């Protein structure tokens, strides 16, 4: 895939602050592309789901309109595609890099093992119609997410200073955002102590300071916050 000048690229990103659009938006920020945002929060109810249904029949965000006009869904696919399209940004290991297999493994693990659980949580009645049973499902699914973080932490190797070693990658952006969702960043630190320093480094990256402030601010108590 030929590299293009990032500033020539214009994207439309459907999402909402703190949603799965956030790592994609962070990546586009580091790449230096132009982004128009359309804020839709489907987890807030059917009215919001309807708003996005014409763009993504899955009625979910993120969705990304590429410069070509093609519409893309699936956050991991967006991050992988952007990494390959903009090698000059250095946000992913090259196809022949020894780190590529590890990168692909964890970039797929995140949506397969963890992100997919939020579909169940975002409207518990979809799979658990009995309201009295929903708190148990919410608790157990949160525990499953925590366990998946722990398993990743045990197997990722030596994530220093970033999750793949020397360079910040799409994987860091993805984990830095998802680790703020249920069961909270505070729990993530306990489950994934090896990965904790890398995500804190992403939180504090000066190139992203204005972005975080605008799209996923670190408000008081954020490390204990739930979503
Ligand atoms: N596989 C999708 C999952 C997207 C997803 O679960 N998005 C959430 C918001 S972060 C959503 O739209 N939830 C609303 C719902 O499922 O009703 C991806 O990786 O992009």
């Amino acid at each position: 895939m030929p590299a293009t000048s990032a500033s020539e690229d214009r994207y439309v990103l459907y999402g909402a602050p703190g949603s799965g659009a956030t790592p994609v938006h962070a990546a586009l920020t580091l790449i230096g592309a132009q982004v128009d945002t359309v804020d839709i929060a489907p987890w807030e109810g059917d009215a919001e789901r309807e708003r996005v249904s014409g763009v993504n029949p899955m009625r979910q965000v993120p969705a990304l309109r590429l410069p070509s006009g093609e519409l893309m869904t699936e956050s991991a696919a967006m991050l992988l595609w952007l990494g390959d399209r903009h090698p000059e940004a250095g946000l992913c290991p090259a196809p022949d890099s020894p780190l590529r297999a590890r990168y692909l493994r964890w970039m797929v693990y995140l949506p397969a093992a963890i992100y997919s659980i939020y579909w169940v949580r975002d409207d518990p009645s979809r799979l658990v119609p009995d309201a009295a049973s929903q708190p148990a499902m919410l608790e157990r699914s949160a525990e499953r997410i925590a366990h998946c973080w722990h398993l990743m932490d045990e197997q990722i190797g030596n994530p220093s200073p970033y999750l793949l070693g020397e360079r910040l990658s799409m994987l860091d952006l993805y984990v830095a955002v998802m680790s703020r969702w249920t069961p909270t960043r505070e729990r993530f630190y306990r489950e994934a102590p090896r990965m904790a320093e890398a995500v804190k480094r992403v939180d504090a990256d000066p190139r992203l300071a204005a972005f975080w402030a605008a799209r996923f601010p670190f408000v008081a108590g954020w490390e204990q916050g739930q979503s």
Side-chain angles (χ1 to χ4, degrees):
M1 191 184 303
T4 61
S5 164
S7 59
E8 292 167 20
D9 282 352
R10 186 163 209 113
Y11 294 85
V12 181
L13 180 59
Y14 298 83
S19 74
T22 311
V24 178
H25 200 164
L28 288 164
T29 301
L30 292 177
I31 286 166
Q34 302 176 62
V35 189
D36 298 319
T37 53
V38 180
D39 284 356
I40 303 177
W43 61 89
E44 285 182 357
D46 278 341
E48 288 292 278
R49 290 192 184 100
E50 272 313 303
R51 283 184 66 212
V52 77
S53 63
V55 180
N56 179 7
M58 292 286 277
R59 309 202 324 161
Q60 292 183 319
V61 296
L64 184 66
R65 182 78 60 194
L66 305 180
S68 66
E70 183 174 342
L71 195 280
M72 194 172 196
T73 66
E74 309 313 317
S75 51
M78 295 170 199
L79 293 168
L80 293 169
W81 186 85
L82 287 169
D84 289 349
R85 180 174 169 87
H86 293 289
E88 76 286 354
L91 291 170
C92 70
D96 60 352
S97 161
L99 292 171
R100 185 75 174 188
R102 190 180 307 176
Y103 171 63
L104 293 177
R105 176 186 179 191
W106 296 115
M107 287 298 288
V108 172
Y109 176 87
L110 293 171
I114 297 180
Y115 201 170
S116 56
I117 296 178
Y118 293 94
W119 181 81
V120 184
R121 299 179 54 84
D122 280 349
D123 179 354
S125 69
R126 287 190 284 217
L127 290 189
V128 185
D130 172 19
S133 302
Q134 291 170 8
M137 181 279 282
L138 289 170
E139 188 191 329
R140 287 176 184 207
S141 60
E143 288 307 308
R144 170 67 183 170
I145 293 167
H147 185 57
C148 289
W149 285 128
H150 185 69
L151 293 177
M152 181 175 177
D153 195 65
E154 283 185 323
Q155 295 174 77
I156 196 163
N158 179 27
S160 178
Y162 294 104
L163 296 177
L164 295 176
E166 284 308 308
R167 302 196 67 142
L168 182 151
S169 75
M170 296 294 188
L171 186 62
D172 296 282
L173 301 176
Y174 214 8
V175 173
V177 173
M178 286 180 58
S179 62
R180 293 175 65 178
W181 301 343
T182 299
T184 78
R185 181 63 85 70
E186 190 177 62
R187 177 75 185 272
F188 173 85
Y189 293 148
R190 291 206 303 278
E191 299 294 337
R194 294 183 190 85
M195 296 201 285
E197 292 312 310
V199 295
K200 288 180 186 173
R201 206 163 271 115
V202 178
D203 297 341
D205 191 311
R207 297 170 299 167
L208 290 170
F211 169 76
W212 293 132
R215 301 301 295 180
F216 203 10
F218 300 106
V219 295
W222 69 272
E223 285 166 307
Q224 294 81 42
Q226 299 255 336
S227 67

